[in-house]
Amino acid sequence: MSQKSRSTPSKVQKDETPIDADIPDNYVSYTLKNTKPLPPVTWSNLLNEINWLSTAILIVPPLVGLIGASYVKLRWETLVWSVLYYFLTGLGITAGYHRLWAHRAYNASLPLQYALALFGAGALQGSIKWWSRGHRAHHRYTDTDLDPYNAHKGFWYSHLGWMLIKPRRKPGVADVSDLSKNPVVKWQHKHYLSLILTMGFILPSVVAWLGWNDARGGFVYAGVLRLVFVHHSTFCVNSLAHWLGETPFDDKHTPRDHMVTAFVTIGEGYHNFHHQFPMDYRNAIKWYQYDPTKWLIWFMSRLGLASHLKVFPDNEVRKGQLTMQLKRLRETQEKLTWPSDSNDLPVISWDSFQEQSLKRPLILISGFIHDVSSFVEEHPGGAHLLIKFIGKDATTAFFGGVYDHSNAAHNLLAMKRVGVLHGGHPHGLDDKLIPPAQRLKIARYNELGSAYGSSTAYSESEEGFADKN
């Protein structure tokens, strides 16, 4: 071997070297700052900026299919075959391109890999290597300008626009060196043109011809129109799945979960889960959720054709769900009015409490002074029970001595706090200081060290308390 051949990396070596091995830590910000995007598309430069190959692939089949359907009658056998082939080629993308090769969510035997590669080619969405490279960039740079189908640019951009117009910026770097070593991926990439013709149009036509003598119907319905449905089905993963639904695991980015999207995309509709746990072979984690891709992978594993199905730890999945549940509860909590923190209330002496009780109905319960002027006549037990405790400590009576009040009563009472008695509360009533609704209140970080118990430090704040008279 010559010195030159030893020092110059071969094409194979370059393909198998991770492209992101030496990227800087600040790659995203550096790239966005130091690389200029192409100029905006305008009417004057539109023709030069159209991706004519992708545009033809997306526009010609619908036109040919509609024209063909007007001349070729749809037979029921062809309809069944078209639906079946829609699922076969769609699963080639979802179970093959997506979950097997882009995310390595499971291992597949060589027969299964070849089958998925063939049916995936029938969906005419690029080779496995090209598709996976773009999808890995989408996950790494979700919702940024380095995301090839950035959802922030609009529904139609992420559905079709990113393919029709030349990208304004090169997608972020994403490594596919593992796929460069895969013999099935290399085989499909090398023979991709002949495979898309065979699997996209010839095979569906031949099956219909040999099966029930309907080659033209096979071509129009199982070939061309089936392709249109597969295209828009899988395109909805980039558009509809980032637009419709809920965010039960995380709302940092746009992916969402929705049953409608799942039906449209052969199970890829639980996209919020997928973006949080992309290595999981499932999109739907509940048994009743529609995910035929998951079912296929599981079934292949039962047959011994798939193995090492990756599942994200359930404990971490539930943490994500709990985080979002707490966040939504926090949002609801923020809309409610809560009692004043004890640290924000004036500290009042016993003498001042007695003096002010002569002017307005004040009652002491658990070390807190409450103004019940708006509730005396509304008290379910009668106004006389409140009036007898004005200027007195009603703690024992309130906590079961006369009536063991409900949680709602505790919460309402806390809203009537106007001060804290100097000297604190009686010993043994620590669990009575926080109203029931507040015991489970979701605290901010800066609230974690705040106590809701009454203050025992005297403050010069009685003047404000008296001013409320």
Side-chain angles (χ1 to χ4, degrees), residues 6 23-24 48 66 83 145 148 154 158 233 271 320 338 343 382 412 422 450 468:
R6 286 197 301 268
I23 61 173
N48 291 327
L66 290 174
V83 173
D145 285 338
S158 56
S233 169
H271 211 51
W338 298 88
N343 295 320
L412 180 62
H422 180 226
S450 174
K468 294 181 180 180

Side-chain angles (χ1 to χ4, degrees), residues 33 89 96 134 268 281 324 338 392 410 432:
K33 181 179 179 180
T89 51
E268 304 279 31
Y281 87 97
M324 289 305 300
W338 298 88
K392 299 178 182 179
H410 285 254
K432 310 289 198 250

Side-chain angles (χ1 to χ4, degrees), residues 88-300:
L88 289 174
T89 51
L91 288 167
I93 297 296
T94 60
Y97 279 39
H98 189 206
R99 302 192 197 183
L100 174 61
W101 285 298
H103 292 297
R104 296 173 291 191
Y106 66 101
N107 293 345
S109 63
L110 275 178
L112 180 57
Q113 286 192 57
Y114 275 108
L116 292 172
L118 285 169
F119 288 125
L124 273 76
Q125 295 186 27
S127 69
I128 297 166
K129 185 176 180 180
W130 178 88
W131 195 100
S132 298
R133 187 255 179 271
H135 192 73
R136 289 180 181 181
H138 165 63
H139 272 263
R140 179 176 287 188
Y141 313 106
T142 304
D143 297 341
T144 72
D145 285 338
L146 298 184
D147 179 352
Y149 18 94
N150 181 2
H152 285 315
K153 293 184 178 180
F155 178 92
W156 290 110
Y157 175 84
S158 56
H159 191 77
L160 287 173
W162 69 278
M163 292 176 284
L164 299 178
I165 302 296
K166 296 175 183 177
R168 301 296 88 194
R169 189 187 290 276
K170 185 179 179 181
V173 62
D175 178 49
V176 289
S177 58
D178 59 310
L179 301 181
S180 299
K181 305 172 187 177
N182 186 301
V184 177
V185 174
K186 292 194 292 185
W187 168 80
Q188 195 225 39
H189 193 77
K190 180 180 179 181
H191 302 287
Y192 185 67
L193 181 59
S194 59
L195 288 176
I196 62 173
L197 293 174
T198 302
M199 300 302 297
F201 306 105
I202 296 175
L203 178 64
S205 304
V206 169
V207 168
W209 173 50
L210 296 177
W212 48 93
N213 196 30
D214 188 22
R216 291 193 302 170
F219 174 78
V220 171
Y221 295 104
V224 179
L225 288 177
R226 179 272 321 166
L227 176 62
V228 175
F229 278 95
V230 169
H231 274 169
H232 291 279
S233 169
T234 50
F235 296 165
C236 280
V237 180
N238 301 331
S239 55
L240 193 64
H242 287 255
W243 178 72
L244 176 66
E246 306 294 331
T247 53
F249 300 95
D250 185 68
D251 62 354
K252 183 178 180 180
H253 295 129
T254 56
R256 297 173 177 272
D257 284 4
H258 202 282
M259 179 182 66
V260 169
T261 312
F263 278 109
V264 169
T265 60
I266 317 182
E268 304 279 31
Y270 300 98
H271 211 51
N272 189 252
F273 174 87
H274 172 64
H275 266 257
Q276 280 296 289
F277 315 107
M279 47 74 72
D280 199 304
Y281 87 97
R282 308 164 299 171
N283 252 216
I285 58 174
K286 297 178 180 178
W287 67 269
Y288 57 82
Q289 292 175 321
Y290 183 76
D291 188 358
T293 303
K294 174 188 71 175
W295 302 333
L296 172 71
I297 296 170
W298 179 86
F299 183 66
M300 290 296 106

Side-chain angles (χ1 to χ4, degrees), residues 59-72 220-221 224-225 228:
I59 292 179
V60 172
L63 294 176
V64 172
L66 290 174
I67 294 172
S70 63
Y71 289 98
V72 179
V220 171
Y221 295 104
V224 179
L225 288 177
V228 175

Side-chain angles (χ1 to χ4, degrees), residues 328-344:
R328 294 190 179 102
L329 286 173
R330 179 74 192 189
E331 292 171 354
T332 301
Q333 178 179 285
E334 290 296 324
K335 298 175 183 178
L336 303 177
T337 302
W338 298 88
S340 299
D341 188 281
S342 59
N343 295 320
D344 298 328

